[in-house]
């Protein structure tokens, strides 16, 4: 059995996502990791490669069923590694979502500026694209 939603409902669902990211007094966070993505929202032992802060509000809106996340401030890589997934939280660290991440040449939801997703300790990390589509 399947369910299909109207465009208005899809838009509302995407906007609910940004309300969760924007909960609290400051912008939400994008925490970038390498390795295998763990089950959604679970505790893991992977080392944080970089943490970026989103502006508040975190999104520039929904157009044609696509939510564009506002460009976060750049951050500094804490360790060398290849970004493969990210955890999104509100400002207090409450889990909102996990998704794939990678380089600018990937098809990941969150793409960093480096083409292959590599980061180097002390180097600047910038998210070049972050769009979510309700299907």
């Amino acid at each position: 059995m399947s369910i299909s939603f109207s465009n208005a409902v899809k838009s509302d669902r995407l906007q609910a996502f940004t309300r969760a990211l924007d909960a609290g007094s400051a912008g939400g966070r994008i925490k970038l990791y390498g390795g295998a993505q763990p089950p959604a929202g679970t505790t893991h032992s992977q080392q944080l490669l970089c943490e970026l802060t989103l502006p508040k509000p975190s999104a520039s809106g929904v157009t044609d069923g696509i939510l564009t996340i506002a460009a976060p401030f750049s951050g500094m890589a804490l360790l060398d590694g290849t970004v493969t997934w990210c955890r999104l939280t509100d400002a207090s660290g409450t889990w909102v979502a996990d998704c794939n991440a990678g380089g600018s040449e990937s098809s990941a939801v969150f793409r960093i500026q480096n083409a292959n997703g590599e980061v180097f300790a002390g180097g600047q990390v910038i998210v070049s694209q972050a769009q979510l589509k309700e299907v």
Side-chain angles (χ1 to χ4, degrees):
M1 189 175 212
S2 66
I3 185 169
S4 298
F5 293 106
S6 70
N7 289 336
V9 171
K10 289 178 184 179
S11 179
D12 285 347
R13 287 168 45 126
L14 290 169
Q15 290 171 354
F17 174 75
T18 62
R19 285 192 301 274
L21 282 176
D22 292 340
S25 60
R29 307 276 193 271
I30 302 171
K31 299 177 180 185
L32 301 171
Y33 296 93
Q37 184 174 329
T42 60
T43 301
H44 62 89
S45 60
Q46 294 174 348
Q47 292 184 310
L48 180 66
L49 297 176
C50 182
E51 183 172 331
L52 304 165
T53 301
L54 290 164
K56 188 174 179 179
S58 61
S60 56
V62 177
T63 304
D64 297 326
I66 298 173
L67 169 72
T68 300
I69 302 293
F73 304 112
S74 62
M76 184 175 62
L78 304 171
L79 302 168
D80 293 352
T82 301
V83 173
T84 57
W85 70 280
C86 67
R87 176 156 288 173
L88 292 96
T89 69
D90 67 14
S92 69
T94 301
W95 177 72
V96 174
D98 289 341
C99 63
N100 63 354
S104 60
E105 294 180 358
S106 75
S107 61
V109 171
F110 280 87
R111 299 177 201 166
I112 65 169
Q113 190 174 22
N114 190 332
N116 63 3
E118 284 185 296
V119 297
F120 301 95
Q124 185 179 31
V125 178
I126 300 170
V127 172
S128 60
Q129 183 174 14
Q131 292 183 320
L132 304 172
K133 182 175 182 176
E134 179 74 51
V135 292

